Amino acid sequence: MDDLSPLRSDTPGATSLADRIAEAIATGEYPPGTRLDEIELAERHGVSRTPVREALIQLGAAGLLTLRPRRGAVVTEVSARQLMEMFEVMAELEAMCARLAARRASAADQQALRAAHLGCVGAMQAGDPDAYYLRNETFHHTLYRIAHHGFLEQQALALSRRLRAYRRLQLRVRTRLSSSFAEHQALVDAVCGGDESAAAQCCREHVSVQGERFADLLASMAAERRA
Amino acid sequence: MDDLSPLRSDTPGATSLADRIAEAIATGEYPPGTRLDEIELAERHGVSRTPVREALIQLGAAGLLTLRPRRGAVVTEVSARQLMEMFEVMAELEAMCARLAARRASAADQQALRAAHLGCVGAMQAGDPDAYYLRNETFHHTLYRIAHHGFLEQQALALSRRLRAYRRLQLRVRTRLSSSFAEHQALVDAVCGGDESAAAQCCREHVSVQGERFADLLASMAAERRA
DNA sequence: TTTGCCTTTCTTGTATACATGACGAGCCTG
DNA sequence: CAGGCTCGTCATGTATACAAGAAAGGCAAA
């Protein structure tokens, strides 16, 4: 579990209130459009409204919540179009990571990427979607890290967090897993082979495909929710 | 003046407290490393500590401030390396904007970009650095807008805000103005000519050059400050 | 019955009081 | 005299009280 925002808590064990709420959003406990009541959150977490408000503001700044003055906080609803756009930017950031990784990754870095990829494969073969979700996240985070570009890593992680709830929905689409594998494999090969443009292109396609699938899924879910 | 974060205030005239503090950071009133005292800010703005804290948290999430628990908020200090990295990501985002703009910009959009460019030229010829700073900002914001990609525009604006204080320092480097002009001109031509890759490449170079110059400047300023 | 206004209630926004941890000054000791 | 420890002071973190706007429900009039 990665913590929210650069201002990381001093005590590694204790996750911040904002993190816990973000986690609840990511897991779908608070679906998009859910209105978050400050008092309820305060009681649930055993604190007063003040820290709750501060957490909500943080999440609002991160884009996970939409705060309307005097009207409370709701989990940000993103349209299919917006989601596509977010995935497009994510693709570009990851492509930049891939390009840099192909150029800069050390042998150990390459090994880490391969290991993360194998983790995905294992989870896929075990047919464990939850494990795959986590392994896949690790794989992408590994890519960000081995680009050796601190700020880019931060930005990629931030956007990745914001898309987390939607990425989780990917688990429902069974066919995505195997095709995702092939795409990861190509990326690993390109990065380890030092082929910058191939790595970048791989990434763009991989994430873009995800974006399209998610947009479809979201649209169908929205229809489902209305029914 | 653009407002901070997607949660924009309801009353257009009234700038939020966070915006005012951000402005003070951008203008250099609070240089990097400055410690912001909650009580002092509260008194200065005629409010209590609560809204001040909320503003600080917002700015912390945006990256302008670094909040350490129990140790207060300081204006984020970025190293020359970090600054370079931020400009590199900015370049990539702008390149994406340029690529999209070259593909999607309408005649009116192209006209708007040309107009913004002429504004820069006018300010440059008038020898008014402050005006140039504003016109230049408008030019870039216009580019973001005519890419017709809402989320990308948001991201670009956010990073642009974060770099604002450093962009302002550009004014000191006299020679930047004229070379900046040529770069802008090339970008305008590429976008209006619909040449995606040329537009993107232009942007990357333009912003990267800025990044390098700023890194130099920052290093010299840091040395100056220590003396 | 429906529509518009008013009132009521509830939530958010702000202020203030209190608790707690950090930093520094001063003292004691080696 | 130097170094470390302790205590005091102050800023931050949290809780609570109060103010004010928004939404919902009821009442009256058409």
Side-chain angles (χ1 to χ4, degrees):
Chain A
M1 161 147 353
D2 46 14
D3 55 0
L4 191 82
S5 86
L7 47 112
R8 56 171 167 279
S9 64
D10 39 358
T11 51
T15 62
S16 78
L17 184 54
D19 287 335
R20 271 183 286 172
I21 297 173
E23 185 67 18
I25 293 173
T27 59
E29 185 179 345
Y30 298 136
T34 307
R35 184 194 158 83
L36 299 185
D37 187 89
E38 295 179 359
I39 298 173
E40 185 193 317
L41 283 170
E43 288 172 353
R44 178 184 300 219
H45 293 91
V47 292
S48 82
R49 275 180 55 217
T50 309
V52 169
R53 282 182 63 81
E54 299 192 342
L56 294 182
I57 289 169
Q58 249 184 280
L59 296 172
L64 270 77
L65 298 180
T66 302
L67 308 176
R68 288 178 306 174
R70 290 263 169 213
R71 307 177 93 203
V74 292
V75 179
T76 303
E77 295 191 85
V78 297
S79 65
R81 182 199 170 102
Q82 273 181 301
L83 192 62
M84 278 288 298
E85 290 186 347
M86 289 169 77
F87 272 101
E88 282 168 16
V89 172
M90 185 83 245
E92 206 59 33
L93 291 180
E94 294 211 350
M96 191 175 170
C97 285
R99 209 167 48 229
L100 290 171
R103 193 187 311 169
R104 302 179 176 176
S106 68
D109 291 336
Q110 294 181 6
Q111 189 49 40
L113 192 66
R114 280 199 207 89
H117 178 47
L118 286 180
C120 288
V121 173
M124 187 181 73
Q125 289 175 340
D128 185 343
D130 279 322
Y132 182 81
Y133 167 78
L134 290 173
R135 298 290 192 171
N136 180 57
E137 195 162 62
T138 301
F139 178 79
H140 283 264
H141 290 190
T142 302
L143 177 66
Y144 307 159
R145 187 171 51 75
I146 68 176
H148 294 288
H149 192 295
F151 184 71
L152 178 58
E153 185 182 3
Q154 277 179 36
Q155 293 294 105
L157 284 173
L159 185 48
S160 169
R161 263 196 299 273
R162 196 159 163 189
L163 288 170
R164 215 172 162 198
Y166 300 97
R167 225 176 322 117
R168 205 177 184 91
L169 298 177
Q170 181 188 33
L171 302 177
R172 300 197 180 183
V173 185
R174 186 62 64 177
T175 58
R176 271 302 295 156
L177 265 72
S178 54
S179 57
S180 185
F181 159 75
E183 291 162 21
H184 279 198
Q185 183 65 58
L187 176 62
V188 171
D189 291 342
V191 168
C192 294
D195 189 338
E196 295 183 28
S197 54
Q201 199 50 38
C202 254
C203 248
R204 282 201 186 90
E205 285 166 10
H206 175 52
V207 184
S208 292
V209 167
Q210 275 196 326
E212 286 167 25
R213 291 290 168 280
F214 283 146
D216 294 347
L217 188 59
L218 188 77
S220 65
M221 284 187 66
E224 194 177 302
R225 198 146 32 109
R226 266 192 294 278
Chain B
M1 160 143 358
D2 47 13
D3 53 3
L4 191 82
S5 86
L7 48 110
R8 54 171 164 280
S9 64
D10 39 358
T11 50
T15 62
S16 77
L17 185 53
D19 287 334
R20 272 183 285 171
I21 297 173
E23 185 66 18
I25 294 173
T27 58
E29 186 179 344
Y30 299 136
T34 307
R35 185 195 157 83
L36 299 185
D37 187 88
E38 295 180 0
I39 298 173
E40 185 194 316
L41 283 171
E43 288 172 354
R44 178 183 301 217
H45 293 91
V47 292
S48 81
R49 275 180 54 218
T50 310
V52 169
R53 281 181 63 82
E54 299 192 342
L56 294 183
I57 289 169
Q58 250 183 279
L59 296 172
L64 270 76
L65 299 180
T66 302
L67 274 44
R68 288 178 308 174
R70 288 266 169 209
R71 308 176 93 206
V74 293
V75 179
T76 303
E77 294 191 87
V78 297
S79 65
R81 182 198 170 106
Q82 274 181 299
L83 193 62
M84 277 289 298
E85 290 187 347
M86 290 169 77
F87 271 102
E88 281 168 16
V89 172
M90 185 83 245
E92 206 59 33
L93 290 179
E94 294 211 350
M96 191 175 170
C97 285
R99 209 167 48 230
L100 290 171
R103 194 188 310 169
R104 301 179 177 176
S106 68
D109 291 336
Q110 295 182 3
Q111 190 49 41
L113 192 66
R114 280 200 207 90
H117 178 48
L118 286 180
C120 289
V121 173
M124 188 181 72
Q125 288 175 339
D128 184 343
D130 280 321
Y132 182 81
Y133 167 78
L134 290 172
R135 298 291 192 173
N136 180 57
E137 195 162 62
T138 301
F139 178 79
H140 284 265
H141 290 189
T142 302
L143 177 66
Y144 308 159
R145 186 171 52 74
I146 68 176
H148 295 287
H149 192 295
F151 184 70
L152 177 58
E153 184 182 3
Q154 277 178 36
Q155 293 294 105
L157 283 173
L159 185 48
S160 168
R161 263 196 299 273
R162 197 160 163 189
L163 288 170
R164 214 173 163 198
Y166 300 97
R167 227 178 318 118
R168 204 176 184 91
L169 297 178
Q170 181 189 31
L171 302 177
R172 299 197 182 183
V173 185
R174 187 62 65 177
T175 58
R176 272 301 297 156
L177 265 72
S178 55
S179 56
S180 184
F181 159 75
E183 291 161 22
H184 279 197
Q185 183 65 58
L187 176 62
V188 171
D189 291 343
V191 168
C192 294
D195 189 338
E196 295 182 28
S197 55
Q201 201 49 38
C202 258
C203 251
R204 284 201 184 90
E205 284 166 12
H206 175 52
V207 184
S208 292
V209 168
Q210 277 196 326
E212 285 167 27
R213 291 290 168 279
F214 283 146
D216 293 347
L217 189 59
L218 188 77
S220 65
M221 284 187 66
E224 194 177 301
R225 199 144 34 104
R226 266 193 294 279

